[in-house]
Amino acid sequence: MSIDGLSDDNDTPHYDGPAGGWGSVGSMARIMGEERPTPAVLDTLRRQNKPGGFMCVSCAWAKPAKPHTFEFCENGAKATIWELTSRRCTPDFFTEHTVTELKGWKDYDLEQQGRLTHPMRYDRASDRYVPCGWDEAFAAIGAELRAIDPEQAVFYSSGRASLETSYLYALFARLYGHNNLPDSSNMCHETTSVGLKKVIGSPVGTCVLDDFDSCNAIFFFGQNTGSNSPRLLHPLQEAVKRGAKIVTFNPVREKGLESFRNPQSPLEMLTGKETQISTLYFQLKAGGDIAAITGLIKHVLAAEEERQREGKHVLDPDFIAQHTVGFEEMKARVNAIGWEQIEEESGLTRADLKQAADIYVEADRSIAMYGMGLTQQVHGSETLAALVNLWLLKGNIGRDGAGISPVRGHSNVQGQRTVGISEKPELVPLDRLAGQFGFEPPRKEGMNTVKACEKILSGEVKAFIGLGGNFVRAIPERERMEAAWTRMRLTVQIATKLNRSHLINGEVAYLLPCLGRSEEDMQESGAQAVTMEDSLSCIHGSLGNNTPASPHLKSEVAIVAGMAKATLPPNPKVTWDAWVADYRRIRALIEETYPDQFHRFNERVFTPGGFYRGNPARERIWKTESGKAHFTPPGRLRAIGFEDAPGRWRLMTMRSNDQFNTTIYGYSDRLRGIEGTRDVLLMNPLDIAAAGLREGQVVALASDAGDDVDRRVGGLTVTPFHLPRGCVGAYYPEMNPLIPLWYHDEASKTPAAKGVPVRIVV
Ligand SMILES: Nc1nc2c(c(=O)[nH]1)N[C@H]1C(S)=C(S)[C@@H](COP(=O)(O)OP(=O)(O)OC[C@H]3O[C@@H](n4cnc5c(=O)[nH]c(N)nc54)[C@H](O)[C@@H]3O)O[C@H]1N2
Ligand SMILES: Nc1nc2c(c(=O)[nH]1)N[C@H]1C(S)=C(S)[C@@H](COP(=O)(O)OP(=O)(O)OC[C@H]3O[C@@H](n4cnc5c(=O)[nH]c(N)nc54)[C@H](O)[C@@H]3O)O[C@H]1N2
Ligand SMILES: [Mo]
């Protein structure tokens, strides 16, 4: 399909090459030059994502049992090179620069200083970080935590830390006395954890890697594979070669979903042959997915009526009868919705949707994949319910070659939830923990990310510990949050590189440098492996073998244990030192808490392809309120949380190909053809003209959320781009000051970063 104002050969910036190909090789070479990584990086890349090797710190995509010779992608390589940089951010650097001065630096320049080398304490008098000893840091943190009510503390984690670290971190929080365990997942796939759980009883996807070998169709909603999970392009390419059809719904034409040249295939590289990925590509409006899916369902129901006349079925009536509730209500509601409304809200035509529906009708086995385009919407959970409606119609959940497969972000974000990082006490086996460790765990619901922000704003939170990540940069409402942040008593950040969150400090502040996953983690019993869970619920061991960036680093496990020991009273069942000495003991604890999923954990750590921890929904056991899978009558067609108004635009905050979340590797969004800057406002050329703007003009965006708060980001160059009318795009995290804290998915509170109401200010 084409959209108004754009043809395939117009002059908007675009990249002619496929995803992968020589461009990705060039991009890896550039970052190699910039970071000058240690020579061991090549060996590490060779071991990347292989059984017994080291598991990539970039995305959470599956690691196959039979890996490619190089089982890594452009962005995985960049993440490894980033960690193994030869640059060091030493105490001398902090002597030279005050924290106030560093606040004026760009994110890119902060991380360019390289790996943190020493534990540091913030000295308010000189406005500088000064080196301190580990024991001194732990003792001070312990004293501060003991002095406050545990419920006033927040323990955040970014989704990278291992299962071992995460389990201990959550245990520390509960022994201390709270469930305030927000996770990067709260800004990411929490919509999945809450939305999917409600309708199919599973907080995670139902597919395994083999399903990609036998599916006939894959439907993609709001996920940018080429940039964010490039290794997934391999199974997609294989599926296309087998004749499977791929249908994409995305407001942006993402190169990686159009075509792919496999950098690991010499033939494809030399002959310039590329695989077309998407059979059909629909540029719907941002927030138009409920409408589009409802249109698909209407077509499928119509096809069923037709087929019934021949005495056959498109739907799977036995599955619907045996396994679901709510079919008739859903059907009646969908049939009552008119095509005009569906076309208006989705931005797609009835005929467009018919083409897509025909593929779904014909395919015996279909997989639905999705990412932030669905989860970061005010009605994100409802969007997932709509998608599940469509998937239940043909019994496409719980059988081989079919299912629903959210593409997770951080490399262990799914696993952190599995082992107890959750603010929701009902999701954690608290009674078992009580028995294992002889204490009474807190039962009160803790704070998620939005709640933690609200309570930091109101002054109720006194202490914040960040296990990785860049919280202040990743959350909405940045300006008000930064101002409130400094009113906290204690802030502690555990990190590998310097970022913006380390410059906004509480009264007492520590910056604790940790080992990266690719580095050797030597403890009393020898070198330690850690584990993580991928997007398809498989658990993998990872063994780092590089020399640590500094002899003063500690592992995340040791840092969590050090803080916990200094905070908590002695307990004979809680043996922090023994756990640090040998991580197999931590895995034994995980097995004891979660015996069904982690039986024989230590034996299975290095299972090729990981070991599957199981998912009842895959077996058609529905852990929902009714014990069945739920059809949900659509309550609305619009996933964004506002009405249209003159001068109001739908802003999608985007990731470039050259960043990992708040880590900016460089200024080249190669696959979108945007080079040298991130300060752009992407718009449809007809919208540029209609708004009286011109290409290259510098404008600001202001919040148009109707709450009278002045939120603004300036210095953006108007750039024509392939976007539907009324939708504009600009980069995350730069745009985060524009997102109101209250603007989030209704059910899960995931910030709605893909449909933000803004005005353009000239
Ligand atoms: N290189 C790299 N890899 C990464 C990351 C990174 O930053 N860089 N981040 C990691 C993390 S934590 C995550 S969560 C994942 C994120 O990976 P994705 O889920 O791919 O997230 P985004 O790139 O934010 O946006 C996804 C897509 O949604 C589309 N979109 C926007 N609005 C809508 C809409 O209303 N409907 C539909 N259908 N589509 C829409 C956008 O155009 C974009 O292509 O990637 C992980 N991997
Ligand atoms: N507007 C907008 N906002 C968004 C999003 C969006 O699409 N749009 N996406 C959201 C999503 S999906 C996510 S997941 C969040 C991401 O939020 P976070 O997970 O909090 O942020 P990251 O940028 O991934 O964190 C980067 C930092 O992690 C630290 N780090 C790296 N490796 C390690 C390690 O091994 N150990 C430790 N301890 N630290 C390490 C480094 O210091 C680095 O600076 O942002 C969310 N915010
Ligand atoms: Mo994420």
Side-chain angles (χ1 to χ4, degrees), residues 47 49-57 162 164 516-519 521 527-532 539-545 583 587 605-606:
R47 297 174 61 241
N49 298 328
K50 300 222 177 124
F54 137 80
M55 295 302 138
C56 183
V57 291
S162 65
E164 290 78 2
R517 194 185 293 161
S518 61
E519 289 168 328
D521 182 354
Q528 303 297 311
V530 291
T531 51
M532 48 239 49
I539 315 287
H540 307 262
S542 177
L543 194 61
N545 66 355
Y583 298 179
R587 288 191 284 275
V605 164
F606 287 111

Side-chain angles (χ1 to χ4, degrees), residues 111 156 158 160 410 470 474 497 499 556 653 662 732 736:
E111 292 205 4
Y156 171 70
S158 165
R160 188 173 291 198
H410 269 297
N470 190 357
K497 284 196 184 174
N499 67 41
E556 289 177 325
T653 60
T662 68
Y732 146 64
N736 286 37

Side-chain angles (χ1 to χ4, degrees), residues 57 82-83 111 115-116 156-161 183-189 372 375-376 409-410 413 466-476 478 493-502 511-518 556 559 652-655 659-664 730-737 739 750-754 756:
V57 291
W82 177 92
E83 189 166 292
E111 292 205 4
R115 293 288 299 278
L116 296 163
Y156 171 70
S157 25
S158 165
R160 188 173 291 198
D183 182 286
S184 57
S185 181
N186 286 133
M187 300 178 252
C188 184
H189 267 290
M372 299 298 102
T375 64
Q376 296 179 335
H410 269 297
V413 66
L467 176 59
N470 190 357
F471 191 79
V472 178
R473 207 70 175 141
I475 53 176
R478 181 181 310 146
Q493 301 283 356
I494 301 159
T496 50
K497 284 196 184 174
L498 184 64
N499 67 41
R500 178 86 192 170
S501 295
H502 310 150
L511 176 53
L512 306 179
C514 64
L515 292 173
R517 194 185 293 161
S518 61
E556 289 177 325
I559 295 172
M652 297 178 279
T653 60
M654 331 208 330
R655 293 172 155 77
Q659 75 184 84
F660 189 90
N661 297 339
T662 68
T663 293
I664 311 302
Y731 288 117
Y732 146 64
E734 287 84 345
M735 294 307 116
N736 286 37
I739 310 174
T750 307
K754 296 293 184 272
V756 186

Side-chain angles (χ1 to χ4, degrees), residues 62-83:
K63 286 89 185 155
K66 292 198 187 78
H68 295 84
T69 318
F70 300 104
E71 186 62 40
F72 63 85
C73 66
E74 167 184 350
N75 283 312
K78 281 184 192 168
T80 303
I81 296 165
W82 177 92
E83 189 166 292

Side-chain angles (χ1 to χ4, degrees), residues 344-404:
E344 167 63 25
E345 289 296 340
S346 66
L348 303 176
T349 64
R350 180 176 177 170
D352 285 336
L353 292 168
K354 175 80 167 59
Q355 285 185 54
D358 284 347
I359 291 185
Y360 185 71
V361 165
E362 289 313 315
D364 179 32
R365 295 155 195 276
S366 297
I367 294 176
M369 306 199 84
Y370 66 86
M372 299 298 102
L374 296 200
T375 64
Q376 296 179 335
Q377 297 287 3
V378 169
H379 303 294
S381 297
E382 281 187 61
T383 312
L384 300 191
L387 185 55
V388 165
N389 285 343
L390 179 60
W391 249 244
L392 293 177
L393 286 178
K394 293 190 66 189
N396 266 325
I397 299 182
R399 68 191 165 98
D400 290 344
I404 189 153

Side-chain angles (χ1 to χ4, degrees), residues 170-188:
L171 179 63
F172 171 25
R174 298 195 167 97
L175 286 164
Y176 171 51
H178 67 75
N179 286 306
N180 299 333
L181 289 160
D183 182 286
S184 57
S185 181
N186 286 133
M187 300 178 252
C188 184

